[in-house]
Amino acid sequence: MNYRLLVDFEVVEFMATQKRADQILLRKRFLEIRDWPSRYSDYREEDETGRPVEINVCGKYAIKYWDDFADRHVKVLHVHLADHGSLR
């Protein structure tokens, strides 16, 4: 679909603290989401502005991303352990 993948710096920092195998898993999923954003949405939330934000559960992680169709960007906003805390 020709999307550009943009990843928040806090996501990069979080990934650096994870095991190498988990880093590879997340990187692979980011690329899959980039190639087909709607396919990987497990559920949707709205951000504080009312914009839809997609959530994908990948193994033990929850990936929060925004499909910016107009700019052809997929923006990974947050990654979190899926069973720990809020995604906000």
Side-chain angles (χ1 to χ4, degrees):
M1 284 199 154
N2 286 337
Y3 278 88
R4 184 169 182 207
L5 179 66
L6 303 173
V7 180
D8 188 281
F9 187 71
E10 289 178 10
V11 172
V12 173
E13 288 182 320
F14 173 79
M15 285 179 60
T17 67
Q18 303 305 298
K19 295 178 184 175
R20 180 71 177 141
D22 289 340
Q23 292 175 15
I24 292 168
L25 173 74
L26 288 168
R27 182 182 181 279
K28 180 178 181 242
R29 182 54 53 92
F30 292 170
L31 295 175
E32 291 169 339
I33 290 170
R34 178 202 62 192
D35 291 343
W36 201 309
S38 62
R39 177 180 282 177
Y40 292 94
S41 176
D42 292 318
Y43 59 97
R44 179 180 285 176
E45 294 180 346
E46 289 185 358
D47 68 8
E48 56 279 346
T49 67
R51 177 180 53 219
V53 177
E54 311 300 331
I55 310 294
N56 172 256
V57 177
C58 176
K60 64 183 180 180
Y61 300 98
I63 302 167
K64 183 176 184 178
Y65 66 96
W66 175 43
D67 175 2
D68 186 351
F69 184 79
D71 286 337
R72 308 300 287 171
H73 293 161
V74 171
K75 299 171 181 177
V76 176
L77 306 171
H78 195 75
V79 174
H80 219 263
L81 292 175
D83 60 347
H84 290 90
S86 169
L87 290 173
R88 294 186 195 272

